[in-house]
Amino acid sequence: MSIEKIQFDQNGLVPAIVQDAASKEVLTLAYMNKESLQKSLETRETWFYSRSRQELWHKGATSGNTQQIVDMRYDCDSDAIVVLVVPAGPACHKGDYSCFSDSLFEDQAVRTNPTRFAILDELEQVIAQREAEMPEGAYTTYLFEKGVDKILKKVGEEAGEVIIAAKNRDPEELKWEVSDLLYHLLVLLREQKLPLDDVLAVLEERHKK
């Protein structure tokens, strides 16, 4: 990526939209100047320019909630950047997974992508949020705390339950067991930092063949 291609504004800044590379959730909007952009490219972690303090700041330097950069893309006018990251914790200073946690709509449902499989996208984002915030008492938090061995054990257990339900020709039980398996697979993908989009891309490629 060549910094010379970026069109900075009159204050020498460019907006940087930070997005979770796996869940695709928008985490925050910050600003970069030429120096912070260069540092971001060199260190593969996000650096920004604080307009209020008028200084550079390294995301996570004090909190530990760093953001590992996967890719950086600029728009067609070269005056905005999307930074795809693997977050090590919450993006928001309030401890929230994303700075964009409040909706202008009273009915939260209007934010949902109205497609047949929208729940998978929503669930992937919720799991990412749980990993970042680790709320006490949440089952997903428990799985992440126990680690990959526990997650793999649950995937194996749920796969076995799916087999039993199918062998018993029990559609009511099968739908519940398949939903449990899908959930634990999404947790596993998050633990492995593998986006669901990558899995879907493989399916699409196989379908084309």
Side-chain angles (χ1 to χ4, degrees):
M1 180 177 179
S2 174
I3 291 182
E4 302 308 318
K5 295 180 180 179
I6 302 302
Q7 301 295 316
F8 296 92
D9 66 16
Q10 64 272 20
N11 296 313
L13 302 175
V14 61
I17 303 162
V18 182
Q19 184 179 29
D20 189 315
S23 72
K24 309 308 178 188
E25 180 82 2
V26 174
L27 301 179
T28 192
L29 169 65
Y31 290 85
M32 293 181 175
N33 62 4
K34 186 171 291 188
E35 185 179 359
S36 64
L37 178 55
Q38 185 64 51
K39 281 183 172 292
S40 297
L41 289 169
E42 292 174 352
T43 65
R44 287 285 181 148
E45 291 188 352
T46 51
W47 285 75
F48 303 110
Y49 182 80
S50 171
R51 293 175 298 170
S52 59
R53 300 192 305 271
Q54 295 190 343
E55 63 182 14
L56 296 186
W57 61 283
H58 178 201
K59 172 62 180 171
T62 56
S63 67
N65 300 328
T66 55
Q67 296 170 337
Q68 180 185 351
I69 297 175
V70 174
D71 195 8
M72 300 180 75
R73 303 171 185 173
Y74 52 92
D75 73 340
C76 54
D77 293 321
S78 302
D79 60 0
I81 298 173
V82 170
V83 188
L84 299 171
V85 304
V86 176
C92 182
H93 70 282
K94 296 189 297 183
D96 294 332
Y97 167 56
S98 169
C99 293
F100 297 95
S101 57
D102 297 319
S103 174
L104 291 173
F105 295 100
E106 293 182 5
D107 182 5
Q108 293 288 320
V110 294
R111 299 191 315 167
T112 304
N113 184 15
T115 67
R116 183 182 177 194
F117 302 108
I119 184 59
L120 291 178
D121 179 56
E122 184 176 344
L123 185 57
E124 187 179 31
Q125 292 180 14
V126 169
I127 290 170
Q129 182 178 3
R130 291 288 189 271
E131 184 195 38
E133 299 177 0
M134 299 292 275
E136 186 177 352
Y139 177 63
T140 309
T141 298
Y142 164 76
L143 290 175
F144 284 126
E145 287 177 341
K146 291 298 183 181
V148 68
D149 287 345
K150 180 64 175 180
I151 297 170
L152 290 173
K153 182 179 178 182
K154 291 301 298 182
V155 169
E157 289 176 355
E158 298 303 339
E161 295 294 335
V162 168
I163 292 171
I164 293 171
K167 289 289 288 183
N168 290 337
R169 300 291 182 179
D170 188 342
E172 186 66 24
E173 184 67 19
L174 182 59
K175 71 179 182 181
W176 287 100
E177 298 302 343
V178 169
S179 65
D180 286 343
L181 178 58
L182 287 174
Y183 159 76
H184 285 93
L185 284 173
L186 286 174
V187 173
L188 176 62
L189 290 178
R190 183 66 191 183
E191 194 279 337
Q192 297 284 306
K193 299 299 183 284
L194 178 64
L196 178 60
D197 283 354
D198 288 8
V199 178
L200 298 177
V202 171
L203 291 174
E204 184 176 1
E205 184 63 27
R206 288 178 177 176
H207 175 67
K208 290 178 180 178
K209 292 180 180 180

